[in-house]
Amino acid sequence: MTTPQNGAEAIWESLVREGVEIAWAYPGGAALPLFDALAKYPQLRYILVRHEQAAAHAADGYARATGKVGVCVATSGPGATNLVTGIATAMIDSAPMVAITAQVAGGVIGTDAFQEINITGITLPITKHNYLVRQGQDLGHIMREAFFLARTGRPGPVLVDVPKDVLFNPCEFHFPEHVSRLGYRPVQRCAPYQVQRAAKVIAAAKRPIILAGNGVHIAQAWKELAAFAERINSPVVTTLLGLSALPADHPLALGMAGMHGVAWANLAIQQADVLIALGMRMDDRFTGNLKHFASQAKVVHVDIDPAEIGKRVPAHVPMVGDVRLVLEALLEELPQLDHHAWLAQVDGWRTRHPLVVPSDSPLPPQEVIRALTRATGGRGLIVSDVGQHQMWVAQHYPFQRLNSFFTSGGLGTMGYSVPAAMGVQAGHPDDPVWVVVGDGSFQMNMQELATIAQEHQPIKIVIFNNGYLGMVRQWQELFHGARYIGTPISSPNFVQLAASFGIPGRRVTATAELAEAFAAAQATAGPFLLDCVVEGAENVYPMVQPGASNADFLEDPRRGQPQ
Ligand SMILES: Cc1ncc(C[n+]2csc(CCOP(=O)(O)OP(=O)(O)O)c2C)c(N)n1
């Protein structure tokens, strides 16, 4: 521990005391004192991104992978606004993050000074909290509080905006041991009375189903989820972000429900008599038309954020608390239950509505996921972007490793995967990370190939190159008369592009080439790029049409036909 001499050092010193080891950053005029002071903190690893959006996504990926607070740093004005999409992505998916922005000097704030932007105003609705620091002596307690707010309760991003003179000028440093904020006391343990009520409802259920969301990962409640599901003998459906909360080969794991959820998971929810929702927020892509959502079911809803309970679906038993602690409490109340008839019914749906892996084109995208599965044994760390490829991963990749899937769920941010993978990989330094990304999404942040090459991170990028903004093309095909306007997309030669960054790669055009290409990616120590030229006309099925009930899904028209 050192005694910082000015505001800039106070920030780095605070990070060190918070246990931060890494930050993703981009410099600029107002941030100069901050970068200058880094020389005194060699223990902090900073990674120079190529666009501030990537710094925010990397911090977010790191946070999701480790449960620690991710840190990103940007300069004032355009540096700060470039963070916005990444902050919003973290906010809606509850990723703990501290974003530090430099601001123009206090004396010129409000004068439209060069590179001045009111970033606290802009980020007010997309941060858990934000600060404009007025004097250096406040920095210690503000930074302490920022980390406290980011990681406690429902986690989220906190922004600290620091004027250049505050960074530059000498100041005293007070770093409080404890933090408390009036009016902020997230409930950890659910009221015992609610636990007993929930236990009664669950014990009486004939067709229970557990809906596991991102809260299971955040609470690190994986073991408790498995124990609870086994105790009450209930199938477990996940949200998009809940995937990998229970190993895919667990007998009670059904996979993902929702708009592109597997049919048997959606049908099971629709027929259930009790839903046990764990750390999930009944997102519209998950529930489909609310009028028809699980209309026979009583709902036990567990969330650390009381605002989520009853927001979209009324809860019969609201349970405010940490998912892990709530499950522990429920396990104490509940005997071993048996629902073999119900489980057999769900299995019947699984047999009748299987996922289709087509074989009517040289390289069906689903085959790429199968090759990824074979290469990783289902134990890969997978970061996906947004689009059809994201849904194919969610449907077809058997996540065996806990907390191994990272994607932008709530905001659906294209461009997330490549920079987020930099954060996930930094959080798992001994493991490679696999990126699954569309040709459109990749082109939103492909400049980060430079960062990956500079850091020599083992990030294996698998591009689903279908020549379209595929998910939008699918909606145009199904709901807009197949008028493909604004969705055909050209690309550079991705293998040559990667080569220009010093990253090796391969182009794959047929299913038979996949195994060797994935083997080459694995045999390479650092980054690698696979450009998979997949069928462009492929659609994601099943699909619940917007506004329809989850029981009413479109199935692959090739289902049941000889392949
Ligand atoms: C930043 C951003 N802009 C636009 C969209 C809308 N959008 C959702 S999916 C999609 C297409 C994605 O295309 P691609 O990355 O090629 O993946 P594919 O669907 O073809 O697998 C678009 C444009 C978005 N989600 N995010």
Side-chain angles (χ1 to χ4, degrees):
M1 270 192 242
T2 58
T3 307
Q5 302 301 314
N6 64 6
E9 291 180 19
I11 289 175
W12 298 128
E13 180 65 26
S14 302
L15 295 192
V16 169
R17 293 194 190 188
E18 287 290 343
V20 173
E21 292 167 348
I22 187 166
W24 286 267
Y26 206 89
L32 269 171
L34 202 51
F35 281 74
D36 202 29
L38 257 180
K40 285 203 183 166
Y41 293 89
Q43 66 271 55
L44 276 173
R45 179 175 166 208
Y46 91 92
I47 294 186
L48 178 74
V49 291
R50 300 302 189 265
H51 186 299
E52 291 86 350
Q53 182 187 354
H57 290 326
D60 163 316
Y62 176 82
R64 296 188 202 206
T66 61
K68 299 182 199 163
V69 178
V71 177
C72 55
V73 182
T75 194
S76 67
T81 53
N82 273 352
L83 290 178
V84 166
T85 301
I87 294 174
T89 303
M91 179 71 178
I92 195 158
D93 286 349
S94 312
M97 175 195 291
V98 168
I100 299 162
T101 48
Q103 181 54 279
V104 297
V108 294
I109 287 180
T111 68
D112 294 338
F114 177 63
Q115 296 196 323
E116 180 191 357
I117 201 79
N118 178 352
I119 196 64
T120 44
I122 288 175
T123 58
L124 195 64
I126 54 163
T127 48
K128 200 168 159 187
H129 195 56
N130 67 24
Y131 302 85
L132 172 60
V133 183
R134 293 294 187 168
Q135 38 184 10
Q137 69 197 46
D138 297 339
L139 270 167
H141 92 252
I142 286 180
M143 291 298 291
R144 187 94 172 105
E145 208 174 83
F147 276 83
F148 172 71
L149 291 174
R151 75 172 155 247
T152 53
R154 178 178 181 171
V158 177
L159 181 132
V160 183
D161 193 31
V162 196
K164 185 170 186 177
D165 54 321
V166 175
L167 292 172
F168 192 72
N169 288 337
C171 64
E172 286 176 20
F173 182 65
H174 310 284
F175 195 74
E177 201 164 313
H178 300 290
V179 208
S180 73
R181 261 188 80 95
L182 214 58
Y184 179 77
R185 274 175 171 259
V187 175
Q188 293 293 317
R189 283 180 195 284
C190 177
Y193 165 69
Q194 295 298 68
V195 176
Q196 281 153 19
R197 277 186 63 205
K200 258 198 202 132
V201 170
I202 294 167
K206 299 264 179 299
R207 299 179 308 281
I209 189 153
I210 296 168
L211 316 179
N214 193 24
V216 176
H217 294 306
I218 294 169
Q220 308 192 340
W222 309 292
K223 207 173 66 188
E224 290 75 11
L225 171 65
F228 177 68
E230 287 161 20
R231 175 74 61 81
I232 68 167
N233 201 224
S234 160
V236 179
V237 152
T238 77
T239 64
L240 177 65
L241 296 189
L243 282 165
S244 79
L246 189 68
D249 66 353
H250 192 288
L252 294 169
L254 298 192
M256 182 181 79
M259 180 174 272
H260 289 296
V262 289
W264 59 89
N266 279 334
L267 290 169
I269 293 175
Q270 291 306 98
Q271 294 303 319
D273 65 350
V274 172
L275 305 185
I276 305 148
L278 303 175
M280 55 85 69
R281 55 189 183 81
M282 300 287 183
D283 174 76
D284 54 279
R285 287 292 191 270
F286 182 86
T287 61
N289 188 327
L290 274 183
K291 259 197 260 152
H292 306 289
F293 178 68
S295 45
Q296 315 163 36
K298 285 189 171 157
V299 177
V300 175
H301 197 160
V302 184
D303 205 294
I304 199 149
D305 182 357
E308 289 299 348
I309 299 178
K311 186 179 86 177
R312 302 195 71 242
V313 175
H316 298 79
V317 187
M319 302 182 84
V320 181
D322 174 88
V323 169
R324 191 171 60 79
L325 298 178
V326 170
L327 288 179
E328 271 176 8
L330 283 171
L331 276 164
E332 281 187 16
E333 296 290 324
L334 283 158
Q336 183 64 47
L337 302 173
D338 175 30
H339 295 293
H340 65 272
W342 166 230
L343 291 169
Q345 193 178 356
V346 176
D347 254 359
W349 290 317
R350 200 197 276 256
T351 318
R352 282 198 294 284
H353 302 275
L355 285 171
V356 173
V357 178
S359 55
D360 50 5
S361 66
L363 186 52
Q366 297 91 333
E367 284 290 358
V368 181
I369 309 282
R370 297 228 297 200
L372 176 64
T373 303
R374 283 191 289 270
T376 57
R379 301 196 54 78
L381 295 165
I382 312 290
V383 186
S384 138
D385 223 288
V386 174
Q388 291 181 310
H389 59 281
Q390 179 188 35
M391 294 299 118
W392 283 313
V393 187
Q395 294 177 338
H396 292 269
Y397 190 83
F399 292 95
Q400 299 291 17
R401 178 171 173 175
L402 299 173
N403 197 27
S404 60
F405 183 48
F406 310 93
T407 193
S408 167
L411 203 63
T413 305
M414 282 174 73
Y416 175 81
S417 63
V418 171
M422 303 188 314
V424 172
Q425 205 284 322
H428 291 283
D430 299 329
D431 293 321
V433 170
W434 294 86
V435 169
V436 171
V437 59
D439 42 349
S441 298
F442 182 67
Q443 291 185 69
M444 281 217 175
N445 266 325
M446 63 184 175
Q447 79 286 345
E448 295 309 316
L449 287 180
T451 313
I452 292 171
Q454 185 170 354
E455 298 296 325
H456 201 63
Q457 289 189 281
I459 293 175
K460 318 290 179 184
I461 299 169
V462 184
I463 301 179
F464 282 52
N465 187 351
N466 58 5
Y468 285 103
L469 299 173
M471 184 55 94
V472 184
R473 189 210 62 80
Q474 172 166 345
W475 282 54
Q476 289 174 331
E477 179 185 331
L478 299 176
F479 313 124
H480 294 273
R483 291 179 293 279
Y484 300 128
I485 301 166
T487 46
I489 185 170
S490 67
S491 294
N493 180 322
F494 289 127
V495 175
Q496 280 180 10
L497 179 83
S500 73
F501 288 96
I503 296 176
R506 284 219 190 181
R507 190 176 170 91
V508 180
T509 56
T511 304
E513 299 162 15
L514 282 169
E516 211 191 310
F518 272 88
Q522 281 183 304
T524 305
F528 200 92
L529 183 143
L530 285 178
D531 177 16
C532 300
V533 184
V534 295
E535 171 55 45
E538 198 60 50
N539 286 338
V540 183
Y541 294 111
M543 177 179 192
V544 178
Q545 301 191 51
S549 149
N550 273 359
D552 190 11
F553 40 81
L554 298 175
E555 294 208 68
D556 193 317
R558 293 162 298 193
R559 189 174 70 93
Q561 291 169 13
Q563 297 286 311

